[in-house]
Structure formats: C-alpha cells, structure tokens
Amino acid sequence: MNIVWLRRDLRVDDNSALLEAAKGNNPVVAVYIATPLTWQEHDLAPIQADFIYRRLFELQKDLAALHIPLLYFEVDTFTESADKVVELAQALKSEGVFINKEYELNETRRDDYLDRRLNSLDKTLHRFDDKCIFPPGSVVNKQGAYFKVFTPFKKAYLSKLSQFPVHPKKAAQLACKADLGEYEGHVLTADSPFSYPRVSSERYPVETKAIYDRLRAFNDEMVERYKEERDFPAVDGTSGLSPYLTIGALSVRQCMARVLYQQSLPLSLGRETWQSELIWREFYQHLTYFEPKLSMGKSFLPWGQALVWQGDEKRIKAWKEGKTGYPIVDAAMKQLNQTGWMHNRLRMIVASFLIKDLQVDWRVGEAYFMSKLIDGDYASNNGGWQWCASTGCDGQPYFRIFNPTTQGERFDPKGDFVRYWIPELASVPDKHIHQPWKYSNVNALSYSAPIVDHKAQREITLANYKNAKDAMNAS
C-alpha cells in the first residue's frame, strides 16, 4: 500500500506523486491534513481556506472514481501533520509515502522532518518536483547558477521547453481499493473538523469539469486578446485561473499544454504574454527554493534591509480600507476586501502606493494580501511585493514610482472600474474621476481627500532609497 499526502496539489490528473504511487496497481490511500495554527501563522486567507475546503469534497469524488479513498485530519501544526502521516504509514503498513515538493522554508523543513522519521522506520519518502514544469536547478546559466533576472531565465526556460514538450498525464482507475481498517471513520464528511475561519468562495466553481472548462474557454476565446486587455481592470481580460494554480486544482503543465495546443511558433502576442505569466510563476518558485531568506521576511537585495520605514498606523488603516483619497487605489482595495481577488495591474499600483507614497514596509502589504487573496501563493506574492519595493530579484529600479493618478487615467480612462467600486464618485465627470479633489462639487462627495501628496512623498522615498543604498555601499 502507498500513501499520497496531498497539500497544494488538489487534483488527480497530472499529479506526479499520485501517478507514481499508483504504478504497479498498488492500493493507494490519499490523505489531506488541515493545520489551522500554521495556516494562521502563514496568514492564510479565510476565502482561500473555504476554497480548499470546497475543493476537497470534489477531489474526494475524483479519487473515489479511481478506487482511492481520501482520509482527512485536522491537527494544529506542520510538525503534527508529518507525525500523523508517520502514524498512518505504520498503521496501514504502507511501503512508501509520496509527496509533491513545496519550496518554502517551513514546508521543506516539515518534509525533511517527515523523511527522517520515515527513514528511522525503514520507510521511504518519495518526493517529486510537481509544482513547476522544470524543477529548480534545471534552468540555470552557463556557470550552473540560478538566474537572478527574469528575461534570461525565460529564454533558457523556453529553450528547454522546446526540447522537452509538456504532456500532462491522466490518472487511471486502480484494480482494488485500499483497506482503511481503523481509519475507515476518517473519510471526509460534512461533519469533519475544519476550524479555520472561512469566507465564502462560491463565485469560484470547484468541480473538476468546471475548472477544465474555464481553462479551455480562456484559451479558445480570450487568450488572443490577453496582451491588449489584461491591464484594464474594467475589462474581463485575465484568465481567472490563478486560484486553481495556487491550490493545485490545475497544474502549470496543464495550462502550458493548453497554451501550446495545436499552435505553431512563434505564438501570437496574446498567447506569448500569458505564457510569460506562467513562466513568471516558475521563476518565483525557483527563487524561493534557492533563497530560503525569502521565506524569512528578508529582502533579496541586501541594501533593502537598510531602508527606513514610517509605519503610520492611520495611513496603513486607510490603505487597507480603501480610504486613501486616490480613487484607483481605493477601488482596488475594495475589490480585494470584498472579493478576495485583485486585478494584477492594480496589485502593482496599490503596492507601489503603500511602499513609496506611504513609506510603509512592504512586508505589511505582503502579509495583508496573503490574509485576503484567494490566490495567495507565497512565492508569487513575495516576488511581486519585492518587485514593487525594488528590493527583489529583478525588481523595478527604485526611482520608478507609480503615480496613482496617471495610472488610473491610463488603465481606467473612463473611470468605469472606479465608479463600480466607489459609487459615491458616480457623478464625477471623466475629466476628474481620478482627481476628484479638483471637481467643482467635491464638497458634495462623501469621499476622502488624499491622505498624502504624491509629489512630496516621491521625493521622500527617493531620498530614503538613496540613503539605504549609500549606507550599504559605505559598509
């Protein structure tokens, strides 16, 4: 008998650990273990917890069709979850435990601990690089070192992709079902304990067919317009697939295969742009693997540690609540707070505003996003925030500071997105929608005045960054 421990890989098709465990037609038991205390420490968003919870019931059906039962447990921490897997391996007389790797520091430590415990019992932990198409260490420069800049990483990645095309694999039904013995009562039911707070994720379907249909529909109907439309938040121009990639209901191989399906090279601009976004996800996963300090709240660039942050709690609260007085920032934050998702262009705008208009430590924003996002993935979230903070690998230069007014005017020119999320600005004409403080009837609006002056804050930020870099160079 083999055990498959599922974590961020909540699917049956194209699941490396599951497929390997089922080779030879051995009976297989799948297990999922909730860890609310560790989730709390990791700022897991309640909407993502609900998304996982709902997906587990669909996953259970998919596994049952393969004659694989799904056991469910709840413990407090990662360490206890590893202990539970060891307990199962002993009780079920499992020959091996199969897992797909996660690259964050706490996750790798958990799996190393599991490996040691199983090894002491003469049992084997089988680990697979399933989260990426190409595992960390397989896309490197001529010196054998990992890439620190995205563009050459992408070039090497695509070269490798041309040599090793992706072929997602489907799972097959096993000949017999495993005997659960004393654990028969631990199959997932509506009464199973799931004590982590949940916020409804119902707007995201969790049935496997619906997920596949969404992937196909995007690639059949929308991807060709992706490059032109993806930056405009009032337009439905993105794939909406990031939540499924985050919890592993879809694999990146499945997405890449669909992008390339029956396509000749070079790809269209829309397909190439979406493919680049998939490769960005891989890039950040590789960075997380090679740089454990990223999982410890440290800047990728050493001088980032010398930055001086203001930490004004009133301003932070205004940013979180969407009350900064800058319409595009406030509309974006309201979208996040009410839906658990934010348009990618807006993620950059609000991050830049928090860091470079309010001089707030990027880690504050990073944690808040994780606590709200249905698609909160540590590597991508950290990479995005450090990019905006100019402290990360391949981050924007520190002197590039988004102007929230001009960003709004460029990407929401008619104010459609702003008016949807901030109805109190509905009567403001297009000319002033991103600068309502210039509107003649501004006093009749129940909308905040700007909490800072962007031009003045920009100068403060430039000085702060220059001082940090100079201090590091001097030392």
Side-chain angles (χ1 to χ4, degrees), residues 352-363:
S352 178
F353 187 85
L354 182 72
I355 298 163
K356 295 178 177 178
D357 281 71
L358 303 185
Q359 288 89 46
V360 172
D361 191 332
W362 58 268
R363 299 165 187 84

Side-chain angles (χ1 to χ4, degrees), residues 388-409:
C388 290
S390 306
T391 62
C393 182
D394 207 18
Q396 65 164 331
Y398 76 88
F399 48 81
R400 286 189 194 160
I401 300 175
F402 283 8
N403 182 319
T405 300
T406 56
Q407 286 284 310
E409 291 170 344

Side-chain angles (χ1 to χ4, degrees), residues 222-387:
M222 298 173 61
V223 73
E224 300 299 342
R225 305 190 303 274
Y226 181 72
K227 181 175 175 60
E228 291 77 22
E229 297 182 348
R230 71 189 185 109
D231 279 320
F232 297 88
V235 177
D236 182 19
T238 63
S239 71
L241 295 170
S242 56
Y244 301 104
L245 283 163
T246 294
I247 67 169
L250 276 177
S251 74
V252 68
R253 286 180 298 273
Q254 291 171 312
C255 293
M256 188 67 75
R258 181 55 56 174
V259 160
L260 299 172
Y261 182 64
Q262 294 184 338
Q263 298 297 314
S264 58
L265 296 177
L267 296 176
S268 67
L269 285 177
R271 289 183 183 277
E272 191 278 330
T273 304
W274 196 60
Q275 182 187 60
S276 286
E277 294 303 303
L278 294 174
I279 299 173
W280 268 108
R281 292 181 68 89
E282 304 264 292
F283 180 58
Y284 285 140
Q285 291 292 334
H286 285 219
L287 285 182
T288 301
Y289 171 83
F290 283 111
E291 292 290 351
K293 68 181 181 182
L294 298 179
S295 296
M296 302 168 67
K298 295 182 180 179
S299 298
F300 179 85
L301 298 175
W303 62 263
Q305 300 299 117
L307 287 165
V308 178
W309 306 108
Q310 299 302 316
D312 186 315
E313 291 300 328
K314 288 185 178 179
R315 289 180 176 179
I316 293 172
K317 184 173 185 289
W319 176 83
K320 288 180 177 179
E321 295 179 354
K323 297 179 179 179
T324 68
Y326 287 91
I328 196 67
V329 173
D330 295 344
M333 295 305 293
K334 290 180 184 297
Q335 181 187 43
L336 172 65
N337 292 332
Q338 293 179 38
T339 70
W341 186 82
M342 186 188 290
H343 189 279
N344 187 59
R345 167 58 56 173
L346 302 182
R347 297 187 196 204
M348 294 187 283
I349 294 172
V350 303
S352 178
F353 187 85
L354 182 72
I355 298 163
K356 295 178 177 178
D357 281 71
L358 303 185
Q359 288 89 46
V360 172
D361 191 332
W362 58 268
R363 299 165 187 84
V364 174
E366 177 193 30
Y368 189 72
F369 266 34
M370 286 300 290
S371 74
K372 293 292 183 180
L373 285 170
I374 190 169
D375 63 352
D377 170 84
Y378 185 85
S380 294
N381 190 52
N382 178 271
W385 275 93
Q386 292 223 47
W387 185 89

Side-chain angles (χ1 to χ4, degrees), residues 99-115:
I99 62 171
N100 292 316
K101 295 179 186 177
E102 296 180 279
Y103 302 123
E104 295 85 357
L105 185 58
N106 288 344
E107 285 77 354
T108 57
R109 285 174 171 171
R110 171 201 61 200
D111 293 346
D112 289 345
Y113 169 73
L114 174 63
D115 193 17

Side-chain angles (χ1 to χ4, degrees), residues 40-223:
Q40 184 178 28
E41 293 170 354
H42 290 182
D43 298 307
L44 179 71
I47 192 171
Q48 190 177 122
D50 185 67
F51 192 46
I52 291 169
Y53 178 77
R54 293 172 52 234
R55 174 60 186 162
L56 286 174
F57 287 95
E58 295 303 318
L59 178 62
Q60 184 176 49
K61 296 175 186 176
D62 294 344
L63 288 166
L66 304 178
H67 293 162
I68 300 174
L70 175 64
L71 295 178
Y72 172 84
F73 302 90
E74 179 177 280
V75 298
D76 286 333
T77 66
F78 271 1
T79 300
E80 291 174 78
S81 66
D83 289 336
K84 178 60 70 174
V85 172
V86 173
E87 173 194 311
L88 281 171
Q90 288 180 289
L92 298 178
K93 296 181 173 57
S94 170
E95 295 181 4
V97 174
F98 293 70
I99 62 171
N100 292 316
K101 295 179 186 177
E102 296 180 279
Y103 302 123
E104 295 85 357
L105 185 58
N106 288 344
E107 285 77 354
T108 57
R109 285 174 171 171
R110 171 201 61 200
D111 293 346
D112 289 345
Y113 169 73
L114 174 63
D115 193 17
R116 291 192 299 272
R117 287 218 55 198
L118 289 173
N119 187 58
S120 70
L121 299 170
D122 293 324
K123 297 181 183 297
T124 304
L125 178 65
H126 304 271
R127 309 194 212 194
F128 301 91
D129 287 288
D130 181 79
K131 205 170 186 180
C132 300
I133 292 176
F134 300 121
S138 66
V139 182
V140 293
N141 62 24
K142 292 180 180 179
Q143 291 72 43
Y146 76 92
F147 286 100
K148 299 178 178 65
V149 178
F150 174 71
T151 301
F153 173 86
K154 177 184 173 181
K155 183 178 179 181
Y157 183 102
L158 289 175
S159 176
K160 197 173 184 71
L161 189 63
S162 68
Q163 301 172 54
F164 303 98
V166 290
H167 297 292
K169 299 176 182 178
K170 291 189 70 67
Q173 187 183 74
L174 298 179
C176 60
K177 182 178 177 181
D179 179 9
L180 297 179
E182 64 184 285
Y183 290 99
E184 195 71 49
H186 285 278
V187 295
L188 182 67
T189 70
D191 295 324
S192 297
F194 196 95
S195 59
Y196 198 81
R198 290 189 287 134
V199 169
S200 175
S201 59
E202 288 293 334
R203 64 193 297 264
Y204 290 90
V206 290
E207 300 81 7
T208 300
K209 183 181 182 302
I211 297 170
Y212 289 172
D213 286 348
R214 181 170 285 200
L215 173 61
R216 293 188 189 99
F218 174 72
N219 276 278
D220 292 347
E221 302 165 16
M222 298 173 61
V223 73

